Amino acid sequence: MKLNKTIIVGLILILFSGLLFVTNIFNPIIRPITYIFLMGSSKGKDIMFFGLLGLFLILSQVIKKDIDVTKYLKISIVIGSITLVFGILLEVIFRLQMGIKLNTIFASMTSTMTTTSILHTHLIKAILGEVLTKIIGPFIQTDINTGVSLYQYLPSFSFLIIILLPTLFITIVLASQKRPWFSNLLLAFFSSCLIIGIIDGGLFGTPAIVGIMGIYLVYRNGYYITRIAGKIFKDENLLKENEKYQPPYRNKGLSKKRRIFNHILVYIVVIGIIFLRFTIAFAGAEPDCYTVDVINATEDEIDLGNISDKVISVENHTDLNKITYLIDPSYNEMQLLNDLKVPLNDSCEYYTVSWNIYSYL
């Protein structure tokens, strides 16, 4: 592997990731940018993003011999999709096992507070967090939430994700070999978003949608995007290399309508996933009031502090070790979750909150 511009850029990005790990001085500059495609960017996500981006760029220069990169790109799309669906199925199984509703946000209060829901899952993050904590626990900063408090509630077979993620990583690396530099940059960017989205957010999260659809975009329309980039940068070498990576439907004698459909198919799929996400969110919303179930509380009734004046009613189910609070729906959902953290810290095992997307409107 000879040192070239792609490898140098990759090394710089990894070094920058290391700087983000040891200092916060770049956060005000980086966070507003990464927030757009990482959905509520955090320090942990930023470190992962730049580290993965640099690593994918470097590893794209590893293999010298020709391999069928298109085949491995298709495999990456399939494995990435299976992994994302697995995350949602794990959420469903976890909730059925715990006896809680599907349309709730689950918040574990054991150790560090961690939330999860079908719309934004952290279960895969909990599995990886458990593994990493055992391996490099002393090096994980306290302000990076690894989600390990959720791990105790997961079924044993959830460890299968440990097989899927490395496999996905390897196929992405194989799919990026010897590609034109612009195509490599696109693939590295989208792959980094996908890995982060799988770990934090899941199928309906912004990083996962950007990642899996971005890889699909490279597969179907990457040739045309790279050709446009070559003309913009006036890079004849980029245009020449790009001719080796024709889209699967080009020069197949298809009708004009079919060619247009092939071009826009990826965008139709993106719109479909986003539509499904909002359909589930609105269908599962409880706009009349929030139902907060506090499990294994340390007291018969907990003072919710600033939220107390928003409480409509309280019901103590002693036989279920559960206290149910009905809270005014005018409360913003995210604000409610944040405000519950303090009064419920060390006061219960976990609690659930019914979701209400209308509170964001």
Side-chain angles (χ1 to χ4, degrees):
M1 183 172 65
K2 294 181 180 180
L3 193 66
N4 57 32
K5 291 179 181 178
T6 301
I7 294 175
I8 292 171
V9 171
L11 288 171
I12 292 171
L13 289 168
I14 290 175
L15 288 173
F16 184 65
S17 173
L19 282 175
L20 292 178
F21 183 80
V22 298
T23 180
N24 294 322
I25 60 174
F26 296 105
N27 289 355
I29 303 170
I30 297 299
R31 195 63 49 77
I33 299 171
T34 55
Y35 186 94
I36 298 170
F37 52 87
L38 293 184
M39 188 182 181
S41 180
S42 62
K43 182 170 182 173
K45 284 185 184 179
D46 292 343
I47 292 168
M48 281 186 64
F49 173 73
F50 287 103
L52 285 170
L53 184 60
L55 187 59
F56 279 127
L57 287 175
I58 292 171
L59 294 179
S60 70
Q61 310 297 303
V62 170
I63 301 175
K64 294 181 180 180
K65 65 179 182 179
D66 289 325
I67 59 174
D68 189 348
V69 294
T70 301
K71 178 183 77 173
Y72 287 111
L73 191 56
K74 286 196 292 187
I75 294 172
S76 298
I77 294 168
V78 171
I79 295 176
S81 301
I82 290 172
T83 307
L84 289 170
V85 171
F86 179 86
I88 299 301
L89 288 176
L90 196 59
E91 277 281 350
V92 173
I93 294 168
F94 155 72
R95 287 161 190 282
L96 293 175
Q97 180 179 280
M98 295 290 292
I100 58 178
K101 293 181 179 179
L102 298 179
N103 61 334
T104 57
I105 301 166
F106 178 93
S108 172
M109 298 304 289
T110 308
S111 183
T112 305
M113 175 195 171
T114 309
T115 61
T116 190
S117 73
I118 289 174
L119 296 177
H120 191 96
T121 179
H122 287 139
L123 296 186
I124 293 177
K125 177 182 180 180
I127 299 167
L128 293 178
E130 176 71 12
V131 174
L132 289 175
T133 301
K134 289 181 178 178
I135 298 172
I136 57 170
F139 301 100
I140 298 177
Q141 295 184 1
T142 55
D143 57 341
I144 297 178
N145 190 340
T146 58
V148 292
S149 61
L150 293 170
Y151 180 75
Q152 60 187 308
Y153 303 108
L154 299 183
S156 57
F157 71 83
S158 58
F159 251 101
L160 288 172
I161 198 67
I162 301 300
I163 300 172
L164 287 174
L165 270 178
T167 306
L168 174 62
F169 185 89
I170 292 169
T171 57
I172 289 172
V173 170
L174 292 173
S176 62
Q177 299 303 309
K178 288 193 171 184
R179 286 182 177 273
W181 68 264
F182 188 77
S183 180
N184 256 341
L185 183 61
L186 286 176
L187 195 52
F189 173 83
F190 291 130
S191 299
S192 301
C193 290
L194 175 58
I195 297 293
I196 291 171
I198 288 171
I199 295 170
D200 193 330
L203 178 61
F204 299 120
T206 301
I209 293 174
V210 170
I212 195 68
M213 291 297 102
I215 292 176
Y216 188 47
L217 179 66
V218 172
Y219 171 68
R220 296 196 67 85
N221 294 342
Y223 168 80
Y224 299 104
I225 297 171
T226 303
R227 191 168 68 173
I228 293 169
K231 290 178 180 179
I232 292 173
F233 294 113
K234 297 180 180 179
D235 189 335
E236 292 298 327
N237 189 48
L238 178 62
L239 291 170
K240 184 179 178 181
E241 289 181 2
N242 189 46
E243 289 302 315
K244 302 175 187 176
Y245 301 94
Q246 301 285 332
Y249 54 85
R250 193 164 187 252
N251 300 324
K252 299 291 185 180
L254 301 175
S255 65
K256 184 178 180 181
K257 288 183 179 179
R258 184 64 184 273
R259 289 199 307 273
I260 293 173
F261 174 77
N262 278 313
H263 275 297
I264 66 173
L265 178 59
V266 62
Y267 308 109
I268 295 172
V269 175
V270 171
I271 292 170
I273 291 178
I274 294 173
F275 177 77
L276 179 61
R277 193 246 190 239
F278 281 103
T279 300
I280 292 172
F282 280 106
E286 293 187 6
D288 296 332
C289 66
Y290 289 102
T291 302
V292 178
D293 288 329
V294 181
I295 309 301
N296 291 334
T298 56
E299 302 173 21
D300 291 338
E301 186 173 337
I302 300 170
D303 182 6
L304 297 183
N306 296 334
I307 306 173
S308 297
D309 60 339
K310 296 286 186 179
V311 174
I312 299 172
S313 67
V314 183
E315 189 171 347
N316 199 325
H317 306 273
T318 53
D319 55 325
L320 300 173
N321 292 322
K322 178 175 74 174
I323 305 173
T324 299
Y325 297 85
L326 298 184
I327 297 177
D328 193 315
S330 63
Y331 225 113
N332 175 268
E333 182 183 278
M334 185 60 67
Q335 188 63 46
L336 175 60
L337 285 170
N338 289 332
D339 287 352
L340 282 170
K341 278 196 291 188
V342 176
L344 294 182
N345 186 38
D346 296 324
S347 297
C348 65
E349 181 185 345
Y350 67 85
Y351 65 90
T352 63
V353 181
S354 59
W355 72 48
N356 180 16
I357 193 172
Y358 293 99
S359 69
Y360 294 100
L361 302 179

